[in-house]
Amino acid sequence: MTEGTGLADGGTGSGDGGTGSAGPAEGLGGTGEAGREVRQVARVILLDPDDRVLLMHGHEPDDPGDTWWFTPGGGLEGDETRAQAALRELAEETGLTDVELGPVLWRRRCSFPFAGRRWDQDEWYYLARTRHTGPVPGPQALTELETRSLSGLRWWTSAELSAAHETVYPIRLAELLRTLLDEGPPSTPVVLAPEIV
């Protein structure tokens, strides 16, 4: 299975300092396996007033049957910070701009095939809150690849996420969300185990 991640923006800036590396990729200094550049990514765990999390539904561009759910977000552009990238990506992919961005919750390294190539990413997951309760406006500025690989978005309760039989990234999101709702944000970002698909 593959993982959709809002890949087509092409951003690879370093942002906010630090690499957020973990596990085998640690200390690579911006280079993944086989010398591939590690893409710097900001993701958003967006919660509504009912503590539902917003996820996007994606698929392999040439195989709409190969699907998964994932958090909004994408690569850094130019010299923007990760926080700036998180808010920009959220607005582009969901149309939501009335958002309060919180702390970084988790960091992870991942590597996966998508759209005919392998992607190595260093992802930071930000907590965000919105007072928005109605339908999500929807994508406002998708790239061509995103248009071919995104098929919707929806709010998920913690219980729905825990019971889901569909693929969701990061793979432990149901457990991570439950801990977040029960205990609040961690005092420092939690480094998740690398995910290699």
Side-chain angles (χ1 to χ4, degrees):
M1 292 184 196
T2 57
E3 176 175 1
T5 54
L7 293 168
D9 57 28
T12 56
S14 61
D16 292 0
T19 63
S21 59
E26 197 159 348
L28 291 174
T31 304
E33 292 179 28
R36 290 185 300 269
E37 185 170 355
V38 175
R39 185 168 179 261
Q40 306 302 305
V41 171
R43 299 210 154 283
V44 181
I45 302 300
L46 181 64
L47 301 179
D48 75 357
D50 296 321
D51 286 336
R52 298 180 302 170
V53 65
L54 185 65
L55 296 180
M56 303 181 70
H57 197 217
H59 57 85
E60 185 67 35
D62 297 324
D63 184 5
D66 184 5
T67 69
W68 56 85
W69 291 90
F70 64 105
T71 59
L76 278 62
E77 293 182 354
D79 61 355
E80 70 182 349
T81 66
R82 293 214 197 218
Q84 291 168 335
L87 291 173
R88 175 186 52 76
E89 287 283 339
L90 189 64
E92 290 175 356
E93 294 176 346
T94 71
L96 293 172
T97 56
D98 181 21
V99 171
E100 181 181 337
L101 194 66
V104 177
L105 300 170
W106 317 309
R107 294 164 59 177
R108 77 162 183 164
R109 291 295 280 264
C110 60
S111 180
F112 53 90
F114 177 72
R117 63 168 277 200
R118 177 157 286 277
W119 301 81
D120 296 318
Q121 298 194 156
D122 170 19
E123 300 183 338
W124 292 19
Y125 288 78
Y126 284 85
L127 174 62
R129 287 277 187 180
T130 181
R131 291 187 292 275
H132 185 87
T133 57
V136 177
Q140 305 297 304
L142 296 182
T143 65
E144 184 270 339
L145 179 56
E146 288 171 328
T147 299
R148 292 192 299 122
S149 60
L150 296 177
S151 53
L153 45 83
R154 67 166 273 210
W155 295 104
W156 292 72
T157 66
S158 176
E160 288 170 335
L161 200 53
S162 294
H165 295 291
E166 299 168 89
T167 301
V168 178
Y169 293 105
I171 56 173
R172 294 178 44 229
L173 184 57
E175 173 189 339
L176 293 165
L177 179 61
R178 183 72 264 150
T179 300
L180 172 65
L181 295 177
D182 288 346
E183 302 176 8
S187 56
T188 59
V190 173
V191 177
L192 306 179
E195 290 184 31
I196 311 296
V197 180

